[in-house]
């Protein structure tokens, strides 16, 4: 299974990146502690989050869901969306279509 999308891949990654930063302890995906994450420069953090978004996109093409820090990511092929659940009150819905 691969993720089907018609929207610009860069725009999808932008939205995924923003959503991932709201997930508590998302940096644990890099096997980092909070202090390690805070020690990175802003540019280094942006590169890491963008890389995580890219990796997650491809992971969701073979797995329907994945844990990210204390949250989850899910690919809903029927609705052409990726859902990032940061906590019980915050769920980001990223459209894969124009």
């Amino acid at each position: 299974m691969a993720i089907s999308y018609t929207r610009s891949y860069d725009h999808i990654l932008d939205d995924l990146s923003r959503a991932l930063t709201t997930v508590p302890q998302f940096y644990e995906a890099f096997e980092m502690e909070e202090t390690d994450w805070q020690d990175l420069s802003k540019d280094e953090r942006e590169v890491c989050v963008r890389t995580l978004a890219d990796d997650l996109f491809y992971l969701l093409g073979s797995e329907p869901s994945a844990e990210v820090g204390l949250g989850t990511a899910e690919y809903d092929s029927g609705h052409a969306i990726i859902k990032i659940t940061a906590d019980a009150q915050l769920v980001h819905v990223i459209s894969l279509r124009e």
Side-chain angles (χ1 to χ4, degrees):
M1 164 178 94
I3 291 183
S4 178
Y5 62 97
T6 58
R7 197 170 157 223
S8 162
Y9 185 68
D10 282 337
H11 292 156
I12 293 169
L13 284 188
D14 289 344
D15 289 348
L16 269 175
S17 296
R18 278 190 292 275
L20 288 170
T21 61
T22 68
V23 176
Q25 300 174 2
F26 72 93
Y27 44 79
E28 289 181 353
F30 305 111
E31 299 182 7
M32 287 185 176
E33 299 291 327
E34 183 176 8
T35 55
D36 298 325
W37 178 254
Q38 295 302 326
D39 287 343
L40 296 176
S41 71
K42 181 180 180 216
D43 290 340
E44 290 170 323
R45 281 184 261 172
E46 288 175 1
V47 169
C48 286
V49 171
R50 187 74 170 201
T51 300
L52 177 58
D54 186 55
D55 291 349
L56 185 61
F57 185 88
Y58 284 97
L59 175 65
L60 292 174
S62 60
E63 300 290 328
S65 65
E67 291 184 13
V68 179
L70 297 179
T72 59
E74 297 175 63
Y75 171 46
D76 181 340
S77 61
H79 293 99
I81 59 171
I82 293 174
K83 292 187 270 185
I84 303 294
T85 303
D87 61 38
Q89 289 88 24
L90 181 58
V91 178
H92 299 273
V93 177
I94 295 129
S95 177
L96 302 172
R97 295 185 186 145
E98 297 272 348

